[in-house]
Amino acid sequence: MEKFPDFPLAKVTTKYITIKSARGHSYKACELALAQLASHRFPLERVTTHRFGLKDVDLAIRSVGGHGVKDVIHASLMPWQ
């Protein structure tokens, strides 16, 4: 059986400390990001170095990991291609 470190749970609960996760994002953050994309304020299309069709998803993933097409920094999946 695995032994867990001695965590002072009583101190956390009696001192009313709030622990929040730093993972994820809010609905509002998504709305703001989509508004930035739609504004064309920044040339975000220049971030993508390579585009792959739906049939090449495996190649795209391997390429981003350095084991497929050379020099891929960011790949976009274009399902209609």
Side-chain angles (χ1 to χ4, degrees):
M1 189 163 150
E2 187 174 302
K3 182 174 166 95
F4 294 101
D6 187 21
F7 186 78
L9 188 59
K11 285 185 181 181
V12 172
T13 58
T14 59
K15 297 274 185 187
Y16 302 103
I17 294 175
T18 302
I19 299 173
K20 293 187 177 184
S21 174
R23 296 173 37 196
H25 52 271
S26 67
Y27 176 81
K28 183 67 176 171
C30 290
E31 288 292 312
L32 292 170
L34 289 171
Q36 283 293 334
L37 290 171
S39 75
H40 300 288
R41 182 175 167 200
F42 304 104
L44 296 174
E45 64 280 353
R46 295 176 62 191
V47 173
T48 298
T49 59
H50 292 74
R51 291 174 173 80
F52 294 90
L54 193 56
K55 64 180 176 44
D56 295 320
V57 170
D58 181 64
L59 177 59
I61 292 170
R62 286 187 289 112
S63 298
V64 171
H67 300 289
V69 177
K70 288 188 172 209
D71 301 323
V72 174
I73 296 171
H74 182 281
S76 289
L77 180 62
M78 313 304 267
W80 51 88
Q81 288 185 349

